[in-house]
Amino acid sequence: MAFRFVLAAAVAAVASSAAPPSYHSTTYAPPAYGPTHAPSYSPAPTYESYQYQYQPQPSYGHQPAYGHQQPAYGHQQPAYGHQPAYPACPHYPEDPACSKNSTDPWCLEDSEYPEYEIKHAISYNKHKVLELYADVADLNTENSVERLTEIEEETYLCPSEVGYVRPLRAVNTDGKWRVIVNNIKVDYETFTQTTRIEKCLSAGEACPLVPQCYESSCLQKSVYHRFLVYDPCDQYFPFAIETFQLPASCACSLGAYEISH
C-alpha cells in the first residue's frame, strides 16, 4: 500500500515537470494595454502633405558673376561715319558735254541727248506723263513762234538778242543740269516745250536814245519757266516738272535827273 502511494507521487511529479508553464502563473507578466500605456499611431501622410511640404529650392549662391564677363559692345560698334562714297549716276553727268563750249545755262544742241530712253520711258508711263505735260503745255509759246516771221520785227530800247528756242538741257534754279523733254514723238503725240529768250547785248551800259542828263542803264531781267524734265537716274518714274530761270527781257532803268551847266 505504501509502495503504491510512493509510485503515484513519483508519476505526478514527473507529469507536473513535463507540463507547459501556465500563463496565469506569476512568472509571465503580459504588457498592460491600458489607456496610459497605449501606443500612439499617427495617421499616414497623404499626397497633399508631401506636395506642399517638399519644396526643394536650388542653391544659387554660387552663380557666376556675369557682370564682369559681358563683352563691351560699346567699343566694338563699327564706325559708320567712314562709309564709302557711292559714285554719282553714270548716265547723268553734272556738266554735260554741250556746256563745255558755251557760257549759256542751256543747250539747244546735244549730241548726248537720251532720245531713245525718253521715248521708252514715256511709252511705259504715258498716262502720268500726259498729266504732267498738260500742266506745262498751256505755257508753251509755240503760237508766238508761228506768228513771227522774223525776229527783227521786235524792236527794243536796249539792244538785245531774242530767240524762240526749245532747249534740250538747262540749269534749274538749284544749279543742276537737267534733261528737258523736247522734240519727242511717241505714237501720235509730239512733246515740245518752246520758250522765249531775250539776252541783253549791253547789260550795265547806258541806254541808247536817252539824254545824258538822265542816269540810265540796260538791265537784264529774267523770268521763271516750268519744264517737263527727264531724270535717267530715277528707276520708278523718271519725269518731273522743275523750275528754270531764263533771260526774258532787256529793260532800260532810269535814275535821277541831273542838270549840269
Side-chain angles (χ1 to χ4, degrees):
M1 186 69 174
F3 178 76
R4 292 178 179 177
F5 179 76
V6 174
L7 182 59
V11 172
V14 174
S16 62
S17 62
S22 175
Y23 288 99
H24 297 284
S25 63
T26 58
T27 60
Y28 177 76
Y33 295 98
T36 58
H37 301 282
S40 58
Y41 296 97
S42 59
T46 61
Y47 173 75
E48 289 78 5
S49 63
Y50 282 112
Q51 182 180 5
Y52 293 101
Q53 290 179 4
Y54 181 72
Q55 297 180 356
Q57 299 291 335
S59 176
Y60 297 103
H62 301 285
Q63 291 182 351
Y66 293 104
H68 302 284
Q69 298 180 4
Q70 292 181 354
Y73 295 103
H75 302 284
Q76 298 180 3
Q77 293 181 355
Y80 294 103
H82 302 283
Q83 290 183 353
Y86 295 99
C89 179
H91 304 289
Y92 206 164
E94 295 183 359
D95 296 327
C98 63
S99 64
K100 300 288 179 65
N101 300 323
S102 177
T103 57
D104 297 329
W106 64 83
C107 292
L108 302 182
E109 296 181 359
D110 186 9
S111 60
E112 300 177 347
Y113 189 72
E115 181 179 358
Y116 175 78
E117 290 80 0
I118 296 176
K119 289 182 178 180
H120 178 73
I122 291 178
S123 300
Y124 187 77
N125 305 278
K126 190 170 184 179
H127 294 288
K128 293 183 179 179
V129 174
L130 287 175
E131 292 179 359
L132 293 178
Y133 182 70
D135 191 20
V136 296
D138 295 337
L139 304 177
N140 198 338
T141 57
E142 185 176 359
N143 294 331
S144 299
V145 176
E146 294 178 353
R147 185 169 56 249
L148 292 177
T149 57
E150 294 182 1
I151 298 179
E152 286 76 8
E153 296 179 9
E154 299 183 15
T155 56
Y156 301 95
L157 184 60
C158 289
S160 61
E161 182 181 359
V162 180
Y164 291 85
V165 297
R166 293 174 179 174
L168 301 179
R169 294 182 191 256
V171 179
N172 62 5
T173 53
D174 294 329
K176 298 180 180 180
W177 281 93
R178 294 301 190 210
V179 178
I180 300 177
V181 179
N182 241 326
N183 303 326
I184 300 297
K185 185 177 182 181
V186 178
D187 297 334
Y188 300 100
E189 186 76 22
T190 302
F191 296 87
T192 59
Q193 301 180 89
T194 307
T195 185
R196 179 185 180 279
I197 294 177
E198 180 181 351
K199 295 174 57 178
C200 280
L201 298 180
S202 59
E205 299 180 4
C207 300
L209 305 179
V210 175
Q212 297 182 356
C213 58
Y214 289 95
E215 181 183 357
S216 65
S217 63
C218 293
L219 180 64
Q220 177 69 67
K221 304 187 69 175
S222 302
V223 69
Y224 291 95
H225 297 267
R226 299 168 68 242
F227 291 129
L228 176 66
V229 300
Y230 168 75
D231 185 1
C233 296
D234 193 340
Q235 300 178 359
Y236 298 98
F237 185 68
F239 297 97
I241 295 179
E242 297 187 6
T243 306
F244 299 81
Q245 184 178 4
L246 300 177
S249 62
C250 186
C252 178
S253 176
L254 296 178
Y257 175 76
E258 296 181 0
I259 299 178
S260 60
H261 298 283

